[in-house]
Coordinates of all heavy atoms in Angstrom, one line a residue:
M164 N 118.9 17.4 122.7 CA 119.6 16.2 122.3 C 119.8 16.1 120.7 O 120.8 15.8 120.2 CB 118.9 14.9 122.7 CG 119.0 14.8 124.2 SD 118.2 13.1 124.8 CE 116.6 13.4 124.6
Q165 N 118.6 16.4 120.0 CA 118.7 16.4 118.5 C 119.8 17.3 118.0 O 120.5 17.0 117.0 CB 117.3 16.6 118.0 CG 117.3 16.3 116.5 CD 115.8 16.1 116.0 OE1 114.9 16.1 116.8 NE2 115.7 15.9 114.7
Q166 N 119.8 18.5 118.6 CA 120.8 19.5 118.1 C 122.2 19.1 118.4 O 123.1 19.3 117.5 CB 120.5 20.8 118.8 CG 121.4 22.0 118.3 CD 121.2 22.3 116.8 OE1 120.1 22.2 116.3 NE2 122.2 22.8 116.2
I167 N 122.4 18.4 119.6 CA 123.8 17.9 119.9 C 124.2 16.9 118.8 O 125.4 17.0 118.3 CB 123.8 17.3 121.3 CG1 123.6 18.4 122.3 CG2 125.0 16.5 121.5 CD1 123.4 17.9 123.8
I168 N 123.4 16.0 118.5 CA 123.7 15.0 117.5 C 123.9 15.6 116.2 O 124.8 15.2 115.5 CB 122.6 13.9 117.5 CG1 122.5 13.1 118.8 CG2 122.8 12.9 116.2 CD1 123.8 12.3 119.1
K169 N 123.1 16.6 115.8 CA 123.3 17.3 114.5 C 124.7 17.9 114.5 O 125.5 17.8 113.5 CB 122.2 18.3 114.3 CG 122.4 19.1 113.0 CD 121.3 20.2 112.8 CE 120.1 19.6 112.1 NZ 119.1 20.6 111.7
E170 N 125.0 18.7 115.6 CA 126.4 19.4 115.6 C 127.6 18.4 115.5 O 128.6 18.7 114.9 CB 126.4 20.2 116.8 CG 125.5 21.5 116.7 CD 125.4 22.2 118.0 OE1 126.1 21.9 119.0 OE2 124.5 23.1 118.1
I171 N 127.4 17.2 116.2 CA 128.5 16.3 116.1 C 128.6 15.5 114.8 O 129.7 15.3 114.3 CB 128.3 15.2 117.3 CG1 128.4 15.9 118.7 CG2 129.4 14.1 117.2 CD1 128.0 15.0 119.8
Y172 N 127.4 15.1 114.2 CA 127.5 14.0 113.2 C 126.8 14.4 111.9 O 126.8 13.6 110.9 CB 126.7 12.8 113.7 CG 127.5 12.0 114.8 CD1 126.9 11.9 116.0 CD2 128.7 11.5 114.7 CE1 127.4 11.3 117.1 CE2 129.4 10.9 115.7 CZ 128.7 10.8 116.9 OH 129.4 10.1 118.0
I173 N 126.3 15.6 111.7 CA 125.5 15.9 110.4 C 126.4 15.7 109.2 O 125.9 15.2 108.2 CB 124.8 17.2 110.5 CG1 123.8 17.4 109.3 CG2 125.8 18.4 110.4 CD1 122.6 16.5 109.4
H174 N 127.7 16.0 109.3 CA 128.5 15.9 108.1 C 128.7 14.4 107.7 O 128.7 14.0 106.5 CB 129.9 16.6 108.3 CG 130.7 16.0 109.5 ND1 130.2 15.9 110.8 CD2 131.9 15.4 109.5 CE1 131.1 15.5 111.6 NE2 132.2 15.1 110.8
H175 N 128.8 13.5 108.7 CA 128.8 12.1 108.4 C 127.4 11.5 107.9 O 127.4 10.7 107.0 CB 129.3 11.3 109.6 CG 130.8 11.5 109.9 ND1 131.7 11.5 109.0 CD2 131.3 11.6 111.1 CE1 132.9 11.7 109.7 NE2 132.7 11.8 110.9
D176 N 126.4 11.9 108.7 CA 125.1 11.4 108.4 C 124.7 11.9 107.0 O 124.0 11.1 106.2 CB 124.1 12.0 109.4 CG 124.3 11.4 110.8 OD1 124.9 10.3 110.9 OD2 123.9 12.1 111.8
S177 N 125.0 13.1 106.6 CA 124.6 13.6 105.2 C 125.3 12.7 104.2 O 124.7 12.4 103.2 CB 125.0 15.0 105.1 OG 124.2 15.8 106.0
R178 N 126.5 12.5 104.4 CA 127.3 11.6 103.4 C 126.7 10.2 103.3 O 126.7 9.7 102.2 CB 128.8 11.6 103.9 CG 129.6 10.9 102.9 CD 131.1 11.1 103.3 NE 131.9 10.2 102.5 CZ 133.3 10.1 102.6 NH1 133.9 10.7 103.6 NH2 134.0 9.3 101.9
R179 N 126.3 9.6 104.5 CA 125.8 8.2 104.6 C 124.5 8.1 103.9 O 124.2 7.1 103.2 CB 125.8 7.8 106.0 CG 125.4 6.3 106.1 CD 125.3 6.0 107.6 NE 126.4 6.3 108.3 CZ 126.5 7.4 109.2 NH1 125.4 8.2 109.4 NH2 127.6 7.7 109.8
G180 N 123.6 9.1 104.2 CA 122.3 9.1 103.6 C 121.3 8.4 104.5 O 121.6 7.8 105.5
I181 N 120.0 8.6 104.1 CA 118.8 8.1 104.9 C 118.8 6.7 105.2 O 118.7 6.1 106.2 CB 117.6 8.7 104.4 CG1 117.5 10.2 104.5 CG2 116.3 8.0 105.1 CD1 116.3 10.8 103.7
L182 N 118.9 5.9 104.0 CA 118.7 4.4 104.0 C 119.9 3.7 104.9 O 119.6 2.8 105.6 CB 118.6 3.9 102.7 CG 117.3 4.2 101.9 CD1 117.3 3.6 100.6 CD2 116.1 3.8 102.7
K183 N 121.1 4.1 104.7 CA 122.1 3.5 105.4 C 122.1 3.9 106.9 O 122.4 3.2 107.8 CB 123.5 3.9 104.9 CG 123.7 3.2 103.5 CD 125.2 2.9 103.2 CE 125.5 2.2 101.9 NZ 124.8 1.0 101.6
T184 N 121.7 5.1 107.2 CA 121.5 5.5 108.6 C 120.3 4.8 109.2 O 120.4 4.4 110.3 CB 121.3 7.1 108.6 OG1 122.4 7.8 108.0 CG2 121.1 7.6 110.0
L185 N 119.4 4.5 108.4 CA 118.3 3.6 109.0 C 118.8 2.2 109.3 O 118.4 1.7 110.4 CB 117.1 3.5 107.9 CG 116.0 2.5 108.2 CD1 115.3 2.9 109.4 CD2 115.0 2.4 107.0
E186 N 119.7 1.7 108.5 CA 120.3 0.4 108.8 C 121.0 0.5 110.1 O 120.9 -0.5 110.9 CB 121.1 -0.1 107.7 CG 120.4 -0.4 106.4 CD 119.4 -1.5 106.6 OE1 119.7 -2.5 107.3 OE2 118.3 -1.3 106.0
W187 N 121.7 1.5 110.4 CA 122.5 1.7 111.6 C 121.5 1.7 112.8 O 121.8 1.1 113.8 CB 123.3 3.0 111.6 CG 124.7 2.8 111.1 CD1 125.2 3.2 109.9 CD2 125.8 2.3 111.8 NE1 126.6 3.0 109.8 CE2 126.9 2.3 110.9 CE3 126.0 1.7 113.0 CZ2 128.2 1.8 111.3 CZ3 127.2 1.2 113.3 CH2 128.3 1.3 112.5
F188 N 120.5 2.5 112.6 CA 119.5 2.6 113.7 C 118.9 1.2 114.0 O 118.7 0.8 115.2 CB 118.4 3.6 113.2 CG 117.2 3.5 114.2 CD1 117.2 4.0 115.5 CD2 115.9 3.0 113.7 CE1 116.1 3.9 116.3 CE2 114.9 2.9 114.5 CZ 114.9 3.4 115.8
L189 N 118.5 0.5 113.0 CA 117.9 -0.9 113.2 C 118.9 -1.8 113.9 O 118.5 -2.6 114.8 CB 117.4 -1.4 111.9 CG 116.2 -0.7 111.2 CD1 116.0 -1.2 109.8 CD2 115.0 -0.7 112.1
S190 N 120.2 -1.7 113.5 CA 121.2 -2.5 114.1 C 121.4 -2.2 115.6 O 121.5 -3.1 116.5 CB 122.5 -2.2 113.4 OG 123.7 -2.6 114.1
E191 N 121.2 -0.9 116.0 CA 121.3 -0.5 117.3 C 120.1 -1.0 118.2 O 120.3 -1.4 119.3 CB 121.5 1.0 117.5 CG 122.7 1.6 117.0 CD 123.9 1.1 117.8 OE1 123.8 0.6 118.9 OE2 125.1 1.0 117.2
V192 N 118.9 -1.0 117.5 CA 117.7 -1.6 118.2 C 118.0 -3.1 118.5 O 117.6 -3.5 119.7 CB 116.5 -1.4 117.3 CG1 115.3 -2.2 118.0 CG2 116.1 0.1 117.2
N193 N 118.5 -3.7 117.7 CA 118.8 -5.2 117.9 C 119.9 -5.3 119.1 O 119.9 -6.2 119.8 CB 119.3 -5.9 116.6 CG 118.1 -6.3 115.8 OD1 117.1 -6.8 116.3 ND2 118.2 -6.1 114.5
E194 N 120.9 -4.4 119.1 CA 121.9 -4.5 120.2 C 121.2 -4.2 121.5 O 121.5 -4.8 122.5 CB 123.0 -3.5 119.9 CG 123.9 -4.0 118.7 CD 125.0 -3.0 118.4 OE1 125.4 -2.1 119.2 OE2 125.6 -3.2 117.3
L195 N 120.3 -3.3 121.5 CA 119.5 -3.0 122.7 C 118.7 -4.2 123.1 O 118.7 -4.4 124.3 CB 118.6 -1.7 122.5 CG 117.7 -1.3 123.6 CD1 118.6 -0.9 124.8 CD2 116.9 -0.2 123.2
K196 N 118.1 -4.8 122.2 CA 117.3 -6.0 122.5 C 118.2 -7.0 123.1 O 117.8 -7.6 124.2 CB 116.7 -6.6 121.2 CG 115.9 -7.8 121.4 CD 115.4 -8.4 120.0 CE 114.6 -9.7 120.3 NZ 114.1 -10.1 118.9
A197 N 119.4 -7.3 122.6 CA 120.3 -8.3 123.2 C 120.7 -7.9 124.6 O 120.8 -8.8 125.5 CB 121.5 -8.4 122.2
A198 N 121.0 -6.6 124.8 CA 121.4 -6.2 126.1 C 120.3 -6.4 127.1 O 120.6 -6.8 128.3 CB 121.8 -4.6 126.1
I199 N 119.0 -6.1 126.7 CA 117.9 -6.3 127.6 C 117.8 -7.8 127.9 O 117.5 -8.2 129.1 CB 116.6 -5.6 127.1 CG1 116.8 -4.2 127.1 CG2 115.4 -6.1 127.8 CD1 115.7 -3.4 126.3
Q200 N 117.8 -8.6 126.9 CA 117.7 -10.0 127.1 C 118.8 -10.6 128.1 O 118.5 -11.5 128.8 CB 117.8 -10.8 125.7 CG 116.5 -10.6 125.0 CD 116.7 -11.1 123.5 OE1 117.7 -11.1 123.0 NE2 115.5 -11.5 122.9
N201 N 120.0 -10.0 128.1 CA 121.0 -10.4 128.9 C 121.0 -9.7 130.3 O 121.8 -10.0 131.2 CB 122.4 -10.0 128.3 CG 122.7 -10.9 127.1 OD1 122.2 -12.0 127.0 ND2 123.4 -10.4 126.1
R202 N 120.0 -8.8 130.5 CA 119.8 -8.1 131.7 C 121.1 -7.4 132.2 O 121.5 -7.4 133.3 CB 119.4 -9.0 132.9 CG 118.1 -9.7 132.7 CD 116.9 -8.7 132.8 NE 115.6 -9.3 132.9 CZ 114.8 -9.7 131.8 NH1 115.3 -9.4 130.6 NH2 113.7 -10.2 132.1
D203 N 121.9 -6.9 131.1 CA 123.1 -6.2 131.3 C 122.9 -4.6 131.4 O 122.8 -4.0 130.4 CB 124.0 -6.5 130.2 CG 125.4 -5.9 130.2 OD1 125.7 -5.0 131.1 OD2 126.3 -6.3 129.5
I204 N 122.7 -4.2 132.6 CA 122.3 -2.8 132.9 C 123.2 -1.7 132.3 O 122.8 -0.8 131.5 CB 122.0 -2.5 134.3 CG1 120.8 -3.4 134.9 CG2 121.6 -1.0 134.5 CD1 119.5 -3.2 134.2
P205 N 124.5 -1.9 132.5 CA 125.5 -0.9 131.9 C 125.4 -0.9 130.4 O 125.3 0.1 129.7 CB 126.8 -1.3 132.3 CG 126.6 -2.1 133.6 CD 125.3 -2.7 133.4
N206 N 125.2 -2.1 129.7 CA 125.1 -2.2 128.3 C 123.8 -1.7 127.8 O 123.7 -1.1 126.7 CB 125.4 -3.7 127.9 CG 125.7 -3.8 126.4 OD1 125.1 -4.7 125.7 ND2 126.5 -2.9 125.9
I207 N 122.7 -1.9 128.6 CA 121.3 -1.4 128.2 C 121.5 0.1 128.1 O 120.9 0.7 127.2 CB 120.3 -1.9 129.2 CG1 120.0 -3.4 129.1 CG2 119.0 -1.1 129.0 CD1 119.1 -3.9 130.2
K208 N 122.1 0.8 129.1 CA 122.2 2.3 129.1 C 122.9 2.7 127.8 O 122.5 3.6 127.1 CB 123.0 2.7 130.3 CG 122.2 2.6 131.6 CD 123.1 3.1 132.7 CE 122.5 3.1 134.1 NZ 123.4 3.5 135.1
E209 N 124.0 2.0 127.5 CA 124.8 2.4 126.4 C 124.1 2.2 125.1 O 124.0 3.1 124.2 CB 126.1 1.6 126.3 CG 127.1 2.0 125.3 CD 128.4 1.2 125.4 OE1 128.8 0.8 126.5 OE2 129.0 1.0 124.3
E210 N 123.4 1.1 124.9 CA 122.7 0.8 123.8 C 121.4 1.6 123.6 O 121.0 2.0 122.5 CB 122.3 -0.7 123.6 CG 123.5 -1.6 123.5 CD 124.4 -1.3 122.4 OE1 124.0 -0.7 121.4 OE2 125.6 -1.6 122.5
A211 N 120.8 2.0 124.7 CA 119.6 2.9 124.6 C 120.1 4.3 124.2 O 119.4 4.9 123.3 CB 119.0 3.1 126.0
A212 N 121.3 4.7 124.6 CA 121.8 6.0 124.2 C 122.1 5.9 122.7 O 121.8 6.9 121.9 CB 123.0 6.4 125.0
D213 N 122.7 4.9 122.3 CA 123.0 4.7 120.8 C 121.8 4.7 120.0 O 121.7 5.3 118.9 CB 123.9 3.4 120.6 CG 125.3 3.5 121.1 OD1 125.8 4.6 121.4 OD2 125.9 2.4 121.2
T214 N 120.8 4.0 120.4 CA 119.6 3.8 119.7 C 118.9 5.2 119.5 O 118.5 5.6 118.4 CB 118.6 2.9 120.4 OG1 119.2 1.6 120.5 CG2 117.3 2.8 119.6
L215 N 118.9 6.0 120.6 CA 118.3 7.3 120.4 C 119.2 8.2 119.6 O 118.6 8.9 118.7 CB 118.2 8.0 121.9 CG 117.6 9.4 121.9 CD1 116.2 9.5 121.2 CD2 117.6 10.0 123.3
A216 N 120.4 8.1 119.7 CA 121.4 8.9 118.9 C 121.1 8.6 117.4 O 121.1 9.6 116.5 CB 122.8 8.7 119.2
W217 N 121.0 7.3 117.0 CA 120.8 7.0 115.6 C 119.5 7.4 115.2 O 119.3 7.9 114.0 CB 121.1 5.5 115.4 CG 122.5 5.3 115.3 CD1 123.4 4.6 116.2 CD2 123.4 5.6 114.1 NE1 124.6 4.5 115.7 CE2 124.7 5.1 114.5 CE3 123.2 6.2 112.9 CZ2 125.8 5.2 113.6 CZ3 124.3 6.3 112.1 CH2 125.6 5.9 112.4
L218 N 118.4 7.3 116.0 CA 117.1 7.9 115.7 C 117.2 9.4 115.4 O 116.6 9.8 114.3 CB 116.1 7.5 116.7 CG 114.7 8.2 116.5 CD1 114.0 7.5 115.2 CD2 113.8 7.9 117.7
L219 N 117.9 10.0 116.2 CA 118.0 11.5 116.0 C 118.8 11.8 114.7 O 118.4 12.8 114.0 CB 118.7 12.2 117.2 CG 117.8 12.0 118.5 CD1 118.6 12.6 119.7 CD2 116.5 12.8 118.4
S220 N 119.8 11.1 114.4 CA 120.5 11.3 113.2 C 119.6 11.1 112.0 O 119.7 11.9 111.0 CB 121.7 10.2 113.0 OG 122.8 10.7 113.8
L221 N 118.8 10.0 112.0 CA 117.9 9.8 110.9 C 116.9 10.9 110.8 O 116.6 11.4 109.7 CB 117.2 8.4 111.3 CG 116.3 7.8 110.2 CD1 117.1 7.5 109.0 CD2 115.7 6.4 110.9
L222 N 116.4 11.4 111.9 CA 115.4 12.4 111.8 C 116.1 13.8 111.4 O 115.4 14.5 110.7 CB 114.7 12.6 113.2 CG 113.9 11.4 113.6 CD1 113.2 11.6 115.0 CD2 112.8 11.1 112.6
N223 N 117.3 14.0 111.7 CA 118.0 15.1 111.2 C 118.1 15.2 109.7 O 117.9 16.2 109.0 CB 119.4 15.3 111.8 CG 119.4 15.7 113.2 OD1 118.4 16.3 113.7 ND2 120.4 15.4 114.0
L224 N 118.3 13.9 109.1 CA 118.4 13.8 107.7 C 117.0 14.1 107.0 O 116.9 14.5 105.9 CB 118.9 12.5 107.3 CG 120.4 12.2 107.6 CD1 120.8 10.8 107.2 CD2 121.3 13.2 106.9
L225 N 116.0 13.7 107.8 CA 114.6 13.9 107.3 C 114.0 15.3 107.6 O 112.8 15.5 107.2 CB 113.7 12.8 107.8 CG 114.1 11.4 107.3 CD1 113.5 10.3 108.2 CD2 113.7 11.2 105.8
N226 N 114.8 16.1 108.2 CA 114.3 17.4 108.8 C 113.0 17.3 109.6 O 112.1 18.1 109.4 CB 114.1 18.3 107.6 CG 115.4 18.8 106.9 OD1 116.3 19.2 107.6 ND2 115.5 18.6 105.6
I227 N 113.0 16.3 110.4 CA 111.9 16.1 111.4 C 112.3 16.4 112.8 O 113.4 15.8 113.2 CB 111.3 14.7 111.3 CG1 110.6 14.5 109.9 CG2 110.3 14.5 112.4 CD1 110.3 13.1 109.6
N228 N 111.7 17.3 113.5 CA 112.0 17.6 114.9 C 111.3 16.7 115.8 O 110.0 16.6 115.8 CB 111.6 19.0 115.1 CG 111.9 19.5 116.6 OD1 111.5 18.9 117.5 ND2 112.7 20.6 116.8
L229 N 112.0 15.8 116.5 CA 111.4 14.8 117.3 C 110.6 15.3 118.4 O 109.4 14.8 118.7 CB 112.4 13.8 117.9 CG 111.9 12.7 118.7 CD1 110.9 11.8 118.0 CD2 113.0 11.8 119.3
E230 N 111.0 16.4 119.1 CA 110.2 17.0 120.1 C 108.9 17.4 119.6 O 107.8 17.1 120.2 CB 110.9 18.2 120.7 CG 110.2 18.7 122.0 CD 111.0 19.8 122.7 OE1 112.0 20.2 122.2 OE2 110.5 20.2 123.8
E231 N 108.8 18.1 118.5 CA 107.6 18.5 117.9 C 106.7 17.4 117.5 O 105.5 17.4 117.8 CB 107.8 19.4 116.6 CG 108.4 20.7 116.9 CD 108.7 21.5 115.6 OE1 108.3 21.1 114.5 OE2 109.4 22.6 115.8
A232 N 107.3 16.3 116.9 CA 106.5 15.2 116.4 C 105.9 14.5 117.7 O 104.8 14.0 117.6 CB 107.4 14.2 115.7
F233 N 106.8 14.3 118.7 CA 106.3 13.6 119.9 C 105.1 14.4 120.6 O 104.1 13.8 120.9 CB 107.5 13.5 120.9 CG 107.1 12.8 122.2 CD1 107.2 11.4 122.3 CD2 106.7 13.6 123.3 CE1 106.8 10.8 123.5 CE2 106.3 12.9 124.5 CZ 106.4 11.5 124.5
L234 N 105.3 15.7 120.7 CA 104.2 16.5 121.4 C 103.0 16.5 120.5 O 101.9 16.6 121.1 CB 104.7 17.9 121.7 CG 105.8 17.9 122.8 CD1 106.4 19.3 123.1 CD2 105.3 17.3 124.2
E235 N 103.2 16.5 119.2 CA 102.0 16.5 118.4 C 101.2 15.2 118.6 O 99.9 15.3 118.6 CB 102.5 16.6 116.9 CG 101.4 16.9 115.9 CD 102.0 17.1 114.5 OE1 102.9 18.0 114.4 OE2 101.8 16.3 113.6
K236 N 101.8 14.2 118.8 CA 101.1 12.9 119.0 C 100.7 12.7 120.5 O 99.6 12.3 120.9 CB 101.9 11.7 118.5 CG 101.2 10.4 118.7 CD 101.6 9.3 117.8 CE 100.7 8.0 118.0 NZ 101.0 7.0 117.2
Y237 N 101.8 12.8 121.4 CA 101.6 12.5 122.8 C 101.5 13.8 123.7 O 102.4 14.0 124.5 CB 102.6 11.6 123.3 CG 102.6 10.3 122.6 CD1 103.6 10.1 121.5 CD2 101.9 9.2 123.1 CE1 103.5 8.9 120.9 CE2 101.9 8.0 122.4 CZ 102.7 7.8 121.3 OH 102.8 6.6 120.7
N238 N 100.5 14.7 123.4 CA 100.5 15.9 124.1 C 99.9 15.8 125.5 O 98.8 16.2 125.8 CB 99.8 17.0 123.3 CG 100.0 18.4 123.8 OD1 100.8 18.6 124.7 ND2 99.1 19.3 123.3
N239 N 100.6 15.1 126.4 CA 100.3 14.9 127.8 C 99.0 14.1 127.9 O 98.4 14.1 129.0 CB 100.1 16.3 128.5 CG 100.4 16.2 129.9 OD1 101.2 15.4 130.4 ND2 99.8 17.1 130.7
K240 N 98.8 13.2 127.0 CA 97.6 12.3 127.0 C 97.8 11.2 126.0 O 98.6 11.3 125.1 CB 96.4 13.1 126.8 CG 96.2 13.8 125.5 CD 95.0 14.6 125.3 CE 94.6 15.1 124.0 NZ 95.6 15.8 123.3
C241 N 97.0 10.1 126.3 CA 97.0 9.0 125.3 C 96.4 9.5 124.0 O 95.2 10.0 124.1 CB 96.3 7.8 125.9 SG 95.9 6.5 124.8
P242 N 97.1 9.2 122.9 CA 96.5 9.7 121.6 C 95.3 9.0 121.2 O 94.5 9.4 120.3 CB 97.6 9.5 120.6 CG 98.5 8.5 121.1 CD 98.4 8.7 122.6
R243 N 95.0 7.8 121.8 CA 93.8 7.0 121.3 C 92.6 7.3 122.2 O 91.6 7.7 121.7 CB 94.1 5.5 121.6 CG 95.0 4.9 120.6 CD 95.2 3.4 120.9 NE 96.1 2.8 119.9 CZ 96.1 1.7 119.4 NH1 95.1 0.8 119.6 NH2 97.0 1.3 118.5
C244 N 92.7 7.4 123.5 CA 91.6 7.6 124.4 C 91.6 9.0 124.9 O 90.5 9.5 125.4 CB 91.5 6.6 125.5 SG 92.8 6.8 126.7
G245 N 92.7 9.8 124.8 CA 92.7 11.1 125.3 C 92.9 11.2 126.8 O 92.8 12.4 127.3
A246 N 93.1 10.2 127.5 CA 93.2 10.3 128.9 C 94.6 10.1 129.4 O 95.5 9.6 128.7 CB 92.3 9.1 129.5
K247 N 94.9 10.5 130.7 CA 96.1 10.4 131.4 C 95.8 10.1 132.8 O 95.3 11.0 133.5 CB 97.0 11.6 131.3 CG 98.4 11.4 131.9 CD 99.3 12.6 131.8 CE 98.9 13.6 132.9 NZ 99.9 14.7 132.9
P248 N 96.0 8.8 133.3 CA 96.6 7.7 132.6 C 95.7 7.1 131.5 O 94.5 7.3 131.7 CB 96.9 6.7 133.7 CG 96.0 6.9 134.8 CD 95.8 8.4 134.8
C249 N 96.3 6.5 130.5 CA 95.4 5.8 129.5 C 94.4 4.8 130.0 O 94.6 4.1 130.9 CB 96.5 5.0 128.6 SG 95.7 3.9 127.5
K250 N 93.2 4.9 129.4 CA 92.1 4.2 129.8 C 91.7 3.1 128.6 O 90.7 2.4 128.7 CB 90.8 5.0 130.1 CG 91.1 5.8 131.3 CD 89.8 6.6 131.7 CE 89.9 7.1 133.1 NZ 90.1 8.5 133.3
C251 N 92.6 2.9 127.7 CA 92.4 1.9 126.6 C 92.4 0.5 127.2 O 93.0 0.3 128.2 CB 93.5 2.1 125.5 SG 93.5 3.6 124.7
I252 N 91.9 -0.4 126.4 CA 91.9 -1.8 126.8 C 93.4 -2.3 126.7 O 94.1 -2.0 125.7 CB 91.1 -2.7 125.8 CG1 89.6 -2.3 126.0 CG2 91.3 -4.2 126.1 CD1 88.7 -2.9 124.9
Y253 N 93.9 -3.0 127.8 CA 95.3 -3.5 127.8 C 95.5 -4.4 126.6 O 94.7 -5.2 126.2 CB 95.5 -4.2 129.1 CG 96.8 -4.9 129.2 CD1 98.0 -4.4 129.4 CD2 96.8 -6.4 129.0 CE1 99.2 -5.0 129.4 CE2 98.0 -7.1 129.0 CZ 99.2 -6.3 129.2 OH 100.4 -7.0 129.3
R254 N 96.7 -4.2 126.0 CA 97.2 -5.1 124.9 C 98.5 -5.7 125.2 O 99.4 -4.9 125.5 CB 97.2 -4.3 123.6 CG 95.9 -3.8 123.2 CD 95.9 -3.1 121.8 NE 96.9 -2.0 121.8 CZ 97.4 -1.5 120.7 NH1 97.0 -1.9 119.5 NH2 98.3 -0.5 120.7
E255 N 98.7 -7.0 125.1 CA 99.9 -7.6 125.4 C 101.0 -7.3 124.4 O 102.2 -7.0 124.8 CB 99.7 -9.1 125.5 CG 100.9 -9.9 126.1 CD 101.0 -9.8 127.6 OE1 100.0 -9.7 128.3 OE2 102.2 -9.8 128.0
G256 N 100.7 -7.3 123.1 CA 101.7 -7.1 122.1 C 101.3 -6.1 121.1 O 100.2 -5.5 121.2
P257 N 102.0 -5.9 120.1 CA 101.7 -4.9 119.1 C 100.7 -5.2 118.1 O 100.2 -4.5 117.3 CB 103.1 -4.6 118.3 CG 103.9 -5.9 118.5 CD 103.4 -6.4 119.8
T258 N 100.3 -6.5 118.0 CA 99.3 -7.0 117.0 C 97.9 -7.2 117.7 O 97.9 -7.2 118.9 CB 99.7 -8.3 116.4 OG1 100.0 -9.3 117.4 CG2 100.9 -8.1 115.5
Ligands
LIG123 ZN1 94.5 5.2 125.9

């Protein structure tokens, strides 16, 4: 997926730069949030794809391979407790 996005958009992404591409990504996250709040499944699919595409554009500009970064952290187990499924204490929110 990251290679596909690079082949399609790297010329635009390079011109736009990291900070403006970050703004696009954050905008897409908010559009995904609105689609989920509206329980609009076709729109959720579209916005999820857009969100991932913009994340991949951002990572292309930063020369970070998402698959490598993901597997480095989530290598088939929870990074906190090391178990699968996770055995950490349940947390309702991010704080
Ligand atoms: Zn865990």
Side-chain angles (χ1 to χ4, degrees):
M164 289 189 286
Q165 190 162 358
Q166 186 61 33
I167 290 169
I168 293 298
K169 182 181 265 185
E170 290 171 7
I171 298 172
Y172 294 118
I173 192 65
H174 60 301
H175 289 319
D176 293 336
S177 297
R178 183 174 175 183
R179 183 183 312 101
I181 292 167
L182 293 180
K183 291 210 182 301
T184 301
L185 173 61
E186 291 302 317
W187 270 105
F188 168 68
L189 295 173
S190 164
E191 291 299 336
V192 171
N193 279 319
E194 289 178 16
L195 176 60
K196 178 182 180 182
I199 290 170
Q200 287 170 331
N201 292 330
R202 299 289 191 269
D203 180 345
I204 298 298
N206 198 225
I207 292 169
K208 289 181 181 179
E209 188 177 328
E210 296 304 338
D213 286 346
T214 300
L215 178 58
W217 280 105
L218 176 61
L219 294 173
S220 278
L221 191 54
L222 295 178
N223 284 337
L224 291 176
L225 293 163
N226 292 312
I227 292 170
N228 181 301
L229 180 59
E230 184 176 10
E231 287 176 9
F233 181 86
L234 292 174
E235 196 173 296
K236 181 158 188 185
Y237 298 96
N238 191 10
N239 209 26
K240 60 187 189 307
C241 171
R243 287 183 184 218
C244 68
K247 184 178 82 173
C249 168
K250 294 186 162 107
C251 296
I252 295 169
Y253 171 75
R254 297 184 304 164
E255 189 75 34
T258 55

